[in-house]
mmCIF file of all heavy atoms in Angstrom:
data_model
loop_
_atom_site.group_PDB
_atom_site.id
_atom_site.type_symbol
_atom_site.label_atom_id
_atom_site.label_comp_id
_atom_site.label_asym_id
_atom_site.label_seq_id
_atom_site.Cartn_x
_atom_site.Cartn_y
_atom_site.Cartn_z
ATOM 1 N N TYR A 8 18.569 48.226 85.362
ATOM 2 C CA TYR A 8 17.238 47.552 85.141
ATOM 3 C C TYR A 8 16.243 48.615 84.568
ATOM 4 O O TYR A 8 15.437 48.279 83.788
ATOM 5 C CB TYR A 8 16.686 47.115 86.506
ATOM 6 C CG TYR A 8 15.380 46.317 86.346
ATOM 7 C CD1 TYR A 8 15.397 44.944 85.968
ATOM 8 C CD2 TYR A 8 14.177 46.970 86.620
ATOM 9 C CE1 TYR A 8 14.186 44.324 85.853
ATOM 10 C CE2 TYR A 8 12.943 46.276 86.435
ATOM 11 C CZ TYR A 8 12.980 44.915 86.065
ATOM 12 O OH TYR A 8 11.808 44.233 85.974
ATOM 13 N N VAL A 9 16.367 49.882 84.921
ATOM 14 C CA VAL A 9 15.398 50.831 84.559
ATOM 15 C C VAL A 9 15.559 51.372 83.183
ATOM 16 O O VAL A 9 14.600 51.884 82.581
ATOM 17 C CB VAL A 9 15.339 51.973 85.549
ATOM 18 C CG1 VAL A 9 15.151 51.473 87.017
ATOM 19 C CG2 VAL A 9 16.574 52.915 85.542
ATOM 20 N N HIS A 10 16.744 51.462 82.678
ATOM 21 C CA HIS A 10 16.878 52.206 81.450
ATOM 22 C C HIS A 10 17.130 51.197 80.231
ATOM 23 O O HIS A 10 18.272 51.028 79.851
ATOM 24 C CB HIS A 10 18.023 53.227 81.502
ATOM 25 C CG HIS A 10 19.369 52.704 81.792
ATOM 26 N ND1 HIS A 10 19.710 52.237 82.983
ATOM 27 C CD2 HIS A 10 20.437 52.523 81.000
ATOM 28 C CE1 HIS A 10 20.963 51.790 82.924
ATOM 29 N NE2 HIS A 10 21.478 51.948 81.713
ATOM 30 N N GLY A 11 16.033 50.649 79.760
ATOM 31 C CA GLY A 11 16.054 49.909 78.535
ATOM 32 C C GLY A 11 16.471 48.451 78.687
ATOM 33 O O GLY A 11 17.071 47.948 77.773
ATOM 34 N N GLU A 12 16.091 47.788 79.678
ATOM 35 C CA GLU A 12 16.308 46.408 79.763
ATOM 36 C C GLU A 12 15.487 45.764 78.647
ATOM 37 O O GLU A 12 14.353 46.137 78.378
ATOM 38 C CB GLU A 12 15.926 45.753 81.125
ATOM 39 C CG GLU A 12 16.365 44.398 81.253
ATOM 40 C CD GLU A 12 16.336 43.881 82.774
ATOM 41 O OE1 GLU A 12 15.221 44.030 83.371
ATOM 42 O OE2 GLU A 12 17.335 43.370 83.251
ATOM 43 N N LEU A 13 16.019 44.706 78.047
ATOM 44 C CA LEU A 13 15.417 44.048 76.939
ATOM 45 C C LEU A 13 15.184 42.555 77.255
ATOM 46 O O LEU A 13 16.103 41.899 77.816
ATOM 47 C CB LEU A 13 16.242 44.094 75.603
ATOM 48 C CG LEU A 13 16.573 45.462 75.101
ATOM 49 C CD1 LEU A 13 17.583 45.384 73.947
ATOM 50 C CD2 LEU A 13 15.379 46.232 74.643
ATOM 51 N N PHE A 14 14.067 42.029 77.003
ATOM 52 C CA PHE A 14 13.818 40.604 77.322
ATOM 53 C C PHE A 14 12.619 40.025 76.609
ATOM 54 O O PHE A 14 11.641 40.729 76.360
ATOM 55 C CB PHE A 14 13.634 40.415 78.891
ATOM 56 C CG PHE A 14 12.653 41.356 79.479
ATOM 57 C CD1 PHE A 14 11.332 40.946 79.749
ATOM 58 C CD2 PHE A 14 13.031 42.643 79.847
ATOM 59 C CE1 PHE A 14 10.357 41.791 80.302
ATOM 60 C CE2 PHE A 14 12.089 43.514 80.467
ATOM 61 C CZ PHE A 14 10.757 43.077 80.682
ATOM 62 N N GLY A 15 12.686 38.763 76.336
ATOM 63 C CA GLY A 15 11.529 38.106 75.712
ATOM 64 C C GLY A 15 10.573 37.671 76.806
ATOM 65 O O GLY A 15 10.864 37.363 77.950
ATOM 66 N N VAL A 16 9.210 37.752 76.419
ATOM 67 C CA VAL A 16 8.175 37.436 77.343
ATOM 68 C C VAL A 16 7.114 36.572 76.609
ATOM 69 O O VAL A 16 7.071 36.557 75.384
ATOM 70 C CB VAL A 16 7.469 38.714 77.871
ATOM 71 C CG1 VAL A 16 8.424 39.474 78.777
ATOM 72 C CG2 VAL A 16 7.109 39.660 76.695
ATOM 73 N N GLY A 17 6.355 35.921 77.423
ATOM 74 C CA GLY A 17 5.246 35.124 76.840
ATOM 75 C C GLY A 17 5.674 33.974 76.019
ATOM 76 O O GLY A 17 5.033 33.549 75.073
ATOM 77 N N GLY A 18 6.811 33.372 76.309
ATOM 78 C CA GLY A 18 7.372 32.233 75.559
ATOM 79 C C GLY A 18 8.410 32.646 74.463
ATOM 80 O O GLY A 18 9.016 31.796 73.882
ATOM 81 N N VAL A 19 8.559 33.989 74.168
ATOM 82 C CA VAL A 19 9.485 34.451 73.236
ATOM 83 C C VAL A 19 10.902 34.367 73.852
ATOM 84 O O VAL A 19 11.056 34.942 74.998
ATOM 85 C CB VAL A 19 9.156 35.800 72.704
ATOM 86 C CG1 VAL A 19 10.319 36.331 71.746
ATOM 87 C CG2 VAL A 19 7.782 35.779 71.964
ATOM 88 N N THR A 20 11.817 33.745 73.255
ATOM 89 C CA THR A 20 13.181 33.689 73.788
ATOM 90 C C THR A 20 14.190 34.522 72.997
ATOM 91 O O THR A 20 13.917 34.752 71.807
ATOM 92 C CB THR A 20 13.659 32.205 73.753
ATOM 93 O OG1 THR A 20 13.681 31.747 72.419
ATOM 94 C CG2 THR A 20 12.764 31.319 74.606
ATOM 95 N N THR A 21 15.185 35.040 73.694
ATOM 96 C CA THR A 21 16.260 35.800 73.074
ATOM 97 C C THR A 21 17.587 35.438 73.773
ATOM 98 O O THR A 21 17.656 34.814 74.795
ATOM 99 C CB THR A 21 15.991 37.303 73.270
ATOM 100 O OG1 THR A 21 16.167 37.637 74.662
ATOM 101 C CG2 THR A 21 14.571 37.739 72.835
ATOM 102 N N VAL A 22 18.709 35.926 73.111
ATOM 103 C CA VAL A 22 19.992 35.746 73.628
ATOM 104 C C VAL A 22 20.429 37.190 74.042
ATOM 105 O O VAL A 22 20.627 38.106 73.155
ATOM 106 C CB VAL A 22 21.026 35.186 72.589
ATOM 107 C CG1 VAL A 22 22.419 35.191 73.235
ATOM 108 C CG2 VAL A 22 20.534 33.741 72.210
ATOM 109 N N PRO A 23 20.694 37.398 75.403
ATOM 110 C CA PRO A 23 21.034 38.843 75.773
ATOM 111 C C PRO A 23 22.466 39.189 75.471
ATOM 112 O O PRO A 23 23.336 38.381 75.627
ATOM 113 C CB PRO A 23 20.716 38.769 77.287
ATOM 114 C CG PRO A 23 20.977 37.347 77.618
ATOM 115 C CD PRO A 23 20.481 36.555 76.493
ATOM 116 N N ASP A 24 22.662 40.457 75.025
ATOM 117 C CA ASP A 24 24.029 40.981 74.958
ATOM 118 C C ASP A 24 24.711 41.085 76.222
ATOM 119 O O ASP A 24 25.957 40.839 76.391
ATOM 120 C CB ASP A 24 24.017 42.320 74.196
ATOM 121 C CG ASP A 24 23.720 42.259 72.714
ATOM 122 O OD1 ASP A 24 23.446 41.129 72.286
ATOM 123 O OD2 ASP A 24 23.749 43.360 72.104
ATOM 124 N N ASN A 25 23.986 41.679 77.209
ATOM 125 C CA ASN A 25 24.555 41.847 78.587
ATOM 126 C C ASN A 25 23.660 41.178 79.600
ATOM 127 O O ASN A 25 22.749 41.786 80.202
ATOM 128 C CB ASN A 25 24.470 43.413 78.842
ATOM 129 C CG ASN A 25 25.046 44.207 77.622
ATOM 130 O OD1 ASN A 25 26.171 44.007 77.195
ATOM 131 N ND2 ASN A 25 24.222 45.104 77.098
ATOM 132 N N PRO A 26 23.881 39.839 79.803
ATOM 133 C CA PRO A 26 22.946 39.048 80.635
ATOM 134 C C PRO A 26 22.685 39.557 82.001
ATOM 135 O O PRO A 26 23.667 39.847 82.770
ATOM 136 C CB PRO A 26 23.638 37.690 80.572
ATOM 137 C CG PRO A 26 24.558 37.668 79.415
ATOM 138 C CD PRO A 26 25.049 39.117 79.321
ATOM 139 N N ARG A 27 21.476 39.503 82.440
ATOM 140 C CA ARG A 27 21.037 39.566 83.809
ATOM 141 C C ARG A 27 19.958 38.457 83.892
ATOM 142 O O ARG A 27 18.814 38.623 83.705
ATOM 143 C CB ARG A 27 20.321 40.904 84.082
ATOM 144 C CG ARG A 27 20.093 41.084 85.585
ATOM 145 C CD ARG A 27 19.460 42.438 85.906
ATOM 146 N NE ARG A 27 18.075 42.461 85.609
ATOM 147 C CZ ARG A 27 17.036 42.106 86.445
ATOM 148 N NH1 ARG A 27 17.426 41.630 87.664
ATOM 149 N NH2 ARG A 27 15.799 42.192 86.030
ATOM 150 N N GLY A 28 20.532 37.255 84.017
ATOM 151 C CA GLY A 28 19.683 36.100 83.814
ATOM 152 C C GLY A 28 19.399 35.975 82.311
ATOM 153 O O GLY A 28 20.262 35.987 81.499
ATOM 154 N N THR A 29 18.081 35.734 82.022
ATOM 155 C CA THR A 29 17.702 35.725 80.599
ATOM 156 C C THR A 29 17.463 37.076 80.000
ATOM 157 O O THR A 29 17.286 37.251 78.732
ATOM 158 C CB THR A 29 16.360 34.885 80.465
ATOM 159 O OG1 THR A 29 15.321 35.521 81.186
ATOM 160 C CG2 THR A 29 16.557 33.437 80.917
ATOM 161 N N ARG A 30 17.573 38.139 80.791
ATOM 162 C CA ARG A 30 17.321 39.473 80.323
ATOM 163 C C ARG A 30 18.667 40.147 79.984
ATOM 164 O O ARG A 30 19.742 39.660 80.358
ATOM 165 C CB ARG A 30 16.653 40.285 81.432
ATOM 166 C CG ARG A 30 15.220 39.758 81.849
ATOM 167 C CD ARG A 30 14.549 40.667 82.838
ATOM 168 N NE ARG A 30 13.212 40.207 83.140
ATOM 169 C CZ ARG A 30 12.242 41.084 83.535
ATOM 170 N NH1 ARG A 30 12.475 42.304 83.697
ATOM 171 N NH2 ARG A 30 11.110 40.568 83.793
ATOM 172 N N SER A 31 18.556 41.247 79.238
ATOM 173 C CA SER A 31 19.772 42.009 78.877
ATOM 174 C C SER A 31 19.663 43.407 79.470
ATOM 175 O O SER A 31 18.640 44.099 79.244
ATOM 176 C CB SER A 31 19.935 42.099 77.319
ATOM 177 O OG SER A 31 21.185 42.682 77.022
ATOM 178 N N LYS A 32 20.634 43.819 80.229
ATOM 179 C CA LYS A 32 20.607 45.110 80.858
ATOM 180 C C LYS A 32 21.561 46.082 80.101
ATOM 181 O O LYS A 32 22.500 45.682 79.466
ATOM 182 C CB LYS A 32 21.065 45.000 82.343
ATOM 183 C CG LYS A 32 22.598 44.577 82.430
ATOM 184 C CD LYS A 32 22.976 44.361 83.914
ATOM 185 C CE LYS A 32 24.453 44.001 83.970
ATOM 186 N NZ LYS A 32 24.835 43.316 85.198
ATOM 187 N N SER A 33 21.325 47.365 80.234
ATOM 188 C CA SER A 33 22.069 48.411 79.588
ATOM 189 C C SER A 33 23.427 48.441 80.294
ATOM 190 O O SER A 33 23.500 48.208 81.568
ATOM 191 C CB SER A 33 21.444 49.741 79.636
ATOM 192 O OG SER A 33 20.194 49.666 79.015
ATOM 193 N N ILE A 34 24.492 48.768 79.522
ATOM 194 C CA ILE A 34 25.876 48.772 80.109
ATOM 195 C C ILE A 34 26.254 50.117 80.657
ATOM 196 O O ILE A 34 27.304 50.296 81.201
ATOM 197 C CB ILE A 34 26.892 48.294 79.066
ATOM 198 C CG1 ILE A 34 26.779 49.119 77.797
ATOM 199 C CG2 ILE A 34 26.622 46.812 78.705
ATOM 200 C CD1 ILE A 34 27.897 48.818 76.781
ATOM 201 N N GLU A 35 25.346 51.139 80.423
ATOM 202 C CA GLU A 35 25.662 52.517 80.943
ATOM 203 C C GLU A 35 24.337 53.135 81.340
ATOM 204 O O GLU A 35 23.402 53.050 80.481
ATOM 205 C CB GLU A 35 26.368 53.364 79.851
ATOM 206 C CG GLU A 35 26.759 54.727 80.304
ATOM 207 C CD GLU A 35 27.500 55.508 79.228
ATOM 208 O OE1 GLU A 35 28.500 54.982 78.749
ATOM 209 O OE2 GLU A 35 27.125 56.642 78.983
ATOM 210 N N ASN A 36 24.267 53.830 82.460
ATOM 211 C CA ASN A 36 23.027 54.467 82.893
ATOM 212 C C ASN A 36 22.901 55.819 82.182
ATOM 213 O O ASN A 36 23.622 56.793 82.463
ATOM 214 C CB ASN A 36 23.079 54.634 84.359
ATOM 215 C CG ASN A 36 21.777 55.357 84.879
ATOM 216 O OD1 ASN A 36 20.781 55.338 84.145
ATOM 217 N ND2 ASN A 36 21.827 55.909 86.023
ATOM 218 N N ARG A 37 21.875 55.898 81.300
ATOM 219 C CA ARG A 37 21.671 57.146 80.498
ATOM 220 C C ARG A 37 20.249 57.663 80.683
ATOM 221 O O ARG A 37 19.849 58.621 80.075
ATOM 222 C CB ARG A 37 21.978 56.972 79.031
ATOM 223 C CG ARG A 37 23.411 56.621 78.804
ATOM 224 C CD ARG A 37 23.678 56.448 77.336
ATOM 225 N NE ARG A 37 23.447 57.723 76.659
ATOM 226 C CZ ARG A 37 24.308 58.734 76.627
ATOM 227 N NH1 ARG A 37 25.393 58.674 77.346
ATOM 228 N NH2 ARG A 37 23.992 59.851 76.021
ATOM 229 N N CYS A 38 19.413 56.928 81.506
ATOM 230 C CA CYS A 38 18.061 57.338 81.648
ATOM 231 C C CYS A 38 17.904 58.570 82.547
ATOM 232 O O CYS A 38 18.575 58.650 83.528
ATOM 233 C CB CYS A 38 17.284 56.110 82.194
ATOM 234 S SG CYS A 38 15.495 56.171 82.097
ATOM 235 N N LEU A 39 16.910 59.349 82.256
ATOM 236 C CA LEU A 39 16.587 60.528 83.000
ATOM 237 C C LEU A 39 15.318 60.260 83.837
ATOM 238 O O LEU A 39 14.510 59.481 83.531
ATOM 239 C CB LEU A 39 16.381 61.760 82.155
ATOM 240 C CG LEU A 39 17.535 62.139 81.197
ATOM 241 C CD1 LEU A 39 17.225 63.318 80.319
ATOM 242 C CD2 LEU A 39 18.810 62.450 82.051
ATOM 243 N N GLY A 40 15.197 61.008 84.983
ATOM 244 C CA GLY A 40 14.081 60.740 85.903
ATOM 245 C C GLY A 40 12.763 61.368 85.530
ATOM 246 O O GLY A 40 12.605 61.936 84.403
ATOM 247 N N LYS A 41 11.761 61.315 86.450
ATOM 248 C CA LYS A 41 10.426 61.828 86.263
ATOM 249 C C LYS A 41 10.385 63.208 85.708
ATOM 250 O O LYS A 41 11.182 64.036 86.160
ATOM 251 C CB LYS A 41 9.589 61.516 87.455
ATOM 252 C CG LYS A 41 9.926 62.512 88.615
ATOM 253 C CD LYS A 41 8.891 62.312 89.733
ATOM 254 C CE LYS A 41 9.197 63.349 90.874
ATOM 255 N NZ LYS A 41 8.255 63.261 91.970
ATOM 256 N N GLY A 42 9.473 63.471 84.821
ATOM 257 C CA GLY A 42 9.287 64.792 84.285
ATOM 258 C C GLY A 42 10.242 65.168 83.199
ATOM 259 O O GLY A 42 10.180 66.260 82.596
ATOM 260 N N GLN A 43 11.177 64.262 82.852
ATOM 261 C CA GLN A 43 12.268 64.521 81.876
ATOM 262 C C GLN A 43 12.102 63.549 80.658
ATOM 263 O O GLN A 43 11.810 62.338 80.837
ATOM 264 C CB GLN A 43 13.649 64.379 82.449
ATOM 265 C CG GLN A 43 13.879 65.317 83.590
ATOM 266 C CD GLN A 43 15.297 65.174 84.129
ATOM 267 O OE1 GLN A 43 16.289 65.725 83.559
ATOM 268 N NE2 GLN A 43 15.423 64.480 85.193
ATOM 269 N N TRP A 44 12.169 64.094 79.469
ATOM 270 C CA TRP A 44 12.056 63.247 78.280
ATOM 271 C C TRP A 44 13.270 62.342 78.030
ATOM 272 O O TRP A 44 14.389 62.822 78.207
ATOM 273 C CB TRP A 44 11.843 64.154 77.078
ATOM 274 C CG TRP A 44 10.477 64.809 76.982
ATOM 275 C CD1 TRP A 44 10.186 66.116 77.312
ATOM 276 C CD2 TRP A 44 9.235 64.153 76.720
ATOM 277 N NE1 TRP A 44 8.857 66.256 77.151
ATOM 278 C CE2 TRP A 44 8.173 65.137 76.810
ATOM 279 C CE3 TRP A 44 8.866 62.845 76.360
ATOM 280 C CZ2 TRP A 44 6.912 64.808 76.513
ATOM 281 C CZ3 TRP A 44 7.607 62.550 76.099
ATOM 282 C CH2 TRP A 44 6.567 63.576 76.163
ATOM 283 N N ASN A 45 12.980 61.120 77.745
ATOM 284 C CA ASN A 45 13.956 60.162 77.345
ATOM 285 C C ASN A 45 13.768 59.812 75.828
ATOM 286 O O ASN A 45 12.566 59.784 75.413
ATOM 287 C CB ASN A 45 13.948 58.893 78.099
ATOM 288 C CG ASN A 45 14.327 59.111 79.610
ATOM 289 O OD1 ASN A 45 15.583 59.190 79.790
ATOM 290 N ND2 ASN A 45 13.468 59.229 80.465
ATOM 291 N N THR A 46 14.833 59.528 75.117
ATOM 292 C CA THR A 46 14.732 59.184 73.698
ATOM 293 C C THR A 46 15.270 57.751 73.510
ATOM 294 O O THR A 46 16.390 57.503 73.882
ATOM 295 C CB THR A 46 15.549 60.149 72.848
ATOM 296 O OG1 THR A 46 14.972 61.456 72.983
ATOM 297 C CG2 THR A 46 15.489 59.707 71.424
ATOM 298 N N TYR A 47 14.443 56.900 72.969
ATOM 299 C CA TYR A 47 14.860 55.511 72.541
ATOM 300 C C TYR A 47 14.855 55.463 71.022
ATOM 301 O O TYR A 47 13.958 55.909 70.314
ATOM 302 C CB TYR A 47 13.842 54.462 73.096
ATOM 303 C CG TYR A 47 13.980 54.059 74.513
ATOM 304 C CD1 TYR A 47 14.916 54.615 75.361
ATOM 305 C CD2 TYR A 47 13.184 53.015 75.066
ATOM 306 C CE1 TYR A 47 15.016 54.237 76.671
ATOM 307 C CE2 TYR A 47 13.354 52.601 76.326
ATOM 308 C CZ TYR A 47 14.279 53.221 77.131
ATOM 309 O OH TYR A 47 14.396 52.795 78.533
ATOM 310 N N VAL A 48 15.932 54.821 70.566
ATOM 311 C CA VAL A 48 16.019 54.354 69.113
ATOM 312 C C VAL A 48 16.138 52.866 69.250
ATOM 313 O O VAL A 48 17.109 52.325 69.730
ATOM 314 C CB VAL A 48 17.175 55.052 68.374
ATOM 315 C CG1 VAL A 48 17.222 54.418 66.955
ATOM 316 C CG2 VAL A 48 17.030 56.517 68.379
ATOM 317 N N VAL A 49 15.139 52.099 68.696
ATOM 318 C CA VAL A 49 15.064 50.741 68.781
ATOM 319 C C VAL A 49 15.231 50.156 67.333
ATOM 320 O O VAL A 49 14.342 50.410 66.505
ATOM 321 C CB VAL A 49 13.745 50.249 69.367
ATOM 322 C CG1 VAL A 49 13.813 48.787 69.611
ATOM 323 C CG2 VAL A 49 13.407 51.018 70.621
ATOM 324 N N VAL A 50 16.368 49.541 67.065
ATOM 325 C CA VAL A 50 16.669 49.024 65.724
ATOM 326 C C VAL A 50 16.420 47.540 65.787
ATOM 327 O O VAL A 50 17.069 46.750 66.532
ATOM 328 C CB VAL A 50 18.083 49.299 65.358
ATOM 329 C CG1 VAL A 50 18.358 48.741 63.879
ATOM 330 C CG2 VAL A 50 18.387 50.809 65.386
ATOM 331 N N CYS A 51 15.456 47.005 64.978
ATOM 332 C CA CYS A 51 14.985 45.636 65.001
ATOM 333 C C CYS A 51 15.241 45.074 63.605
ATOM 334 O O CYS A 51 14.540 45.504 62.643
ATOM 335 C CB CYS A 51 13.538 45.525 65.333
ATOM 336 S SG CYS A 51 13.099 46.329 66.915
ATOM 337 N N VAL A 52 16.166 44.117 63.518
ATOM 338 C CA VAL A 52 16.510 43.548 62.218
ATOM 339 C C VAL A 52 16.836 41.993 62.362
ATOM 340 O O VAL A 52 17.723 41.652 63.140
ATOM 341 C CB VAL A 52 17.724 44.184 61.568
ATOM 342 C CG1 VAL A 52 18.106 43.505 60.252
ATOM 343 C CG2 VAL A 52 17.527 45.657 61.344
ATOM 344 N N ASP A 53 15.970 41.164 61.715
ATOM 345 C CA ASP A 53 16.288 39.758 61.628
ATOM 346 C C ASP A 53 16.514 39.070 62.982
ATOM 347 O O ASP A 53 17.469 38.363 63.206
ATOM 348 C CB ASP A 53 17.469 39.490 60.701
ATOM 349 C CG ASP A 53 17.517 38.075 60.279
ATOM 350 O OD1 ASP A 53 16.401 37.388 60.223
ATOM 351 O OD2 ASP A 53 18.627 37.584 59.940
#
C-alpha cells in the first residue's frame, strides 16, 4: 500500500494492473523509510 499504490479518485476510474479492490498495488516492496530519498518515474500515456 505504501510504495506507489495507484488509483482513480473523485469519479475518475481506472483498471488496475495489480488489483487491491479498485486500486493497484505494487508487486514488489522497493520503498525506503523516513529520512531516505525515494525516486518515482511516472510514465503517463493515453
Side-chain angles (χ1 to χ4, degrees):
Y8 185 83
V9 304
H10 62 285
E12 191 166 51
L13 301 172
F14 51 97
V16 291
V19 174
T20 61
T21 67
V22 175
D24 285 5
N25 314 302
R27 190 179 79 87
T29 59
R30 300 183 176 207
S31 189
K32 66 186 182 199
S33 298
I34 57 175
E35 182 179 308
N36 180 21
R37 300 185 57 80
C38 193
L39 303 176
K41 69 175 184 177
Q43 301 181 80
W44 287 104
N45 290 282
T46 298
Y47 277 6
V48 178
V49 189
V50 182
C51 304
V52 178
D53 197 27

